[in-house]
Amino acid sequence: MYSIFSLPIHPLMGIEAVPYLGLGNSSTVLPRSLAIPMVEVSKILGLPPILAHSDLVLTNWTKKDPKGPLEISNLETIVSLPGGESLRGFVLVTVLVEKAAVPGIKALAQAISAILQSNEDTLLKALQRLRLSIQDITRTLGQMHDYVDPDIFYAVIRIFLSGWSDNPAMPKGLMYEGVSTEPLKCSGGSAAQSTVLHAFDEFLGVCHSEESADFLCRMRDYMPPSHKAFIEEIHSAPSLRDHILDRGQACCLEAYNLCLEALVELRSYHIIIVTKYLITAAARARSRGASHLPEPSQALENRGTGGSVVLSFLKSVRDQTQKAILPLRD
């Protein structure tokens, strides 16, 4: 299959939501016939035995017309879950967000090379490309409004992404029969499991609060091993921020700050999206009464799919990005 990152799709992805998380009748045991092969395949892929971002998004799309454009009208999901067209839209818009990040990821490598060669002109151009990529991510994220119904996302799709770690509806986790004598706690699929913003933060030198940093570090364990290694390579590379502070030209300092400002705008827009699809949708679900939609556990209302207390986390990472902006030189 064709994928941006050319990863093998998890062959058991379709069963990872079996416990139907967050509802009052949540299962606490994954049967042996599912648990054992699921864990074995996950070990081969280097991933935890749960639906992750790489399963649902990175390896879960294909082109309808192989020669056609990489646009939502020419894309289809490979494996689906309940949620209909909203689930399809959620997956494919997220695929396009990853596509929008590709020039930015390439710019990181170009910028690091420029720092090593003390080439300020190349560094400036790389930072400009990174800013444009971040801005394109923000614009692409806006397509969620066109393709994903908030009520369907909140009541249906999110349940299958909730996981069984930091989930008040499943405080003991999930027993994988035939695998472990104790329940396992795994976080659900989350945008925090995407390599993109981790890489941008490492490159730009954004330092998060201890609580947020701990959560983000845990999310790296849900990335394909090569993606996690890529972030670690950026972390060990020469520091862009130190270069800007010590030797960088004024134009590079300005370009660096513009990258951070674009990242702040992206994170602010993400807060708007989450407010619509989680907080506001939760309030609407409470007031709706009887409905054809499932009624998710109220314990999950303020939780992101990865288990974070979502708005406080998103505001924290946004504010820390803002604090990273450097004063301009006189």
Side-chain angles (χ1 to χ4, degrees):
M1 67 155 267
Y2 182 66
S3 162
I4 295 173
F5 293 99
S6 299
L7 292 169
I9 191 164
H10 199 308
L12 299 173
M13 192 184 83
I15 69 169
E16 297 195 19
V18 165
Y20 204 37
L21 307 177
L23 300 186
N25 61 346
S26 297
S27 173
T28 59
V29 178
L30 189 64
R32 176 187 304 267
S33 59
L34 298 178
I36 293 176
M38 183 174 179
V39 169
E40 290 302 314
V41 170
S42 297
K43 286 179 180 178
I44 293 170
L45 296 177
L47 294 168
I50 190 171
L51 185 69
H53 178 78
S54 59
D55 300 316
L56 184 66
V57 176
L58 297 184
T59 58
N60 191 29
W61 62 274
T62 187
K63 283 185 174 182
K64 297 176 183 177
D65 175 5
K67 297 181 180 180
L70 193 62
E71 297 174 356
I72 200 164
S73 60
N74 190 43
L75 296 178
E76 192 52 84
T77 56
I78 299 172
V79 180
S80 189
L81 297 172
E85 285 300 304
S86 285
L87 184 280
R88 176 183 176 274
F90 176 73
V91 172
L92 296 181
V93 169
T94 309
V95 167
L96 295 179
V97 166
E98 296 280 343
K99 174 197 170 189
V102 170
I105 294 294
K106 291 180 178 179
L108 301 190
Q110 294 161 351
I112 291 170
S113 178
I115 293 170
L116 290 169
Q117 297 172 21
S118 298
N119 188 327
E120 295 296 294
D121 290 340
T122 299
L123 177 59
L124 175 61
K125 292 175 182 177
L127 290 172
Q128 291 169 339
R129 283 191 287 269
L130 174 58
R131 173 180 58 83
L132 292 174
S133 177
I134 296 171
Q135 291 172 334
D136 193 26
I137 292 171
T138 305
R139 285 191 294 270
T140 304
L141 185 59
Q143 293 185 50
M144 285 290 178
H145 299 296
D146 300 324
Y147 293 100
V148 184
D149 182 298
D151 295 329
I152 299 293
F153 176 82
Y154 177 75
V156 180
I157 298 171
R158 188 178 63 100
I159 301 304
F160 287 87
L161 303 177
S162 295
W164 34 91
S165 175
D166 300 316
N167 181 343
M170 297 183 71
K172 295 182 179 179
L174 180 69
M175 179 70 74
Y176 288 67
E177 192 176 55
V179 173
S180 173
T181 58
E182 297 292 332
L184 302 182
K185 293 187 175 183
C186 299
S187 295
S190 168
Q193 295 166 3
S194 170
T195 312
V196 172
L197 294 190
H198 290 257
F200 290 173
D201 280 345
E202 289 288 356
F203 176 68
L204 294 170
V206 178
C207 296
H208 294 295
S209 69
E210 182 176 356
E211 183 177 4
S212 295
D214 286 347
F215 172 74
L216 289 168
C217 186
R218 284 195 289 114
M219 291 300 99
R220 294 183 185 184
D221 291 335
Y222 293 80
M223 297 177 185
S226 59
H227 292 206
K228 183 177 179 180
F230 175 70
I231 297 170
E232 292 169 353
E233 284 288 328
I234 295 173
H235 177 75
S236 63
S239 167
L240 168 66
R241 189 175 178 88
D242 288 348
H243 177 83
I244 295 290
L245 286 169
D246 295 341
R247 301 181 299 280
Q249 297 177 357
C251 58
C252 288
L253 169 59
E254 182 179 6
Y256 169 79
N257 280 345
L258 288 174
C259 288
L260 287 168
E261 290 172 9
L263 194 52
V264 170
E265 291 173 5
L266 170 57
R267 285 179 156 145
S268 294
Y269 191 65
H270 191 196
I271 291 171
I272 293 171
I273 293 284
V274 168
T275 299
K276 174 180 178 178
Y277 284 88
L278 183 58
I279 308 303
T280 304
R284 194 158 49 241
R286 287 195 301 271
S287 63
R288 188 165 48 229
S291 169
H292 67 286
L293 295 173
E295 184 178 350
S297 168
Q298 292 186 4
L300 293 176
E301 283 186 3
N302 296 314
R303 293 267 170 183
T305 53
S308 64
V309 182
V310 63
L311 282 187
S312 61
F313 166 74
L314 293 177
K315 289 177 180 178
S316 173
V317 296
R318 188 268 315 273
D319 293 347
Q320 290 302 117
T321 307
Q322 179 73 45
K323 289 178 181 178
I325 296 174
L326 294 170
L328 296 176
R329 300 188 183 108
D330 296 331

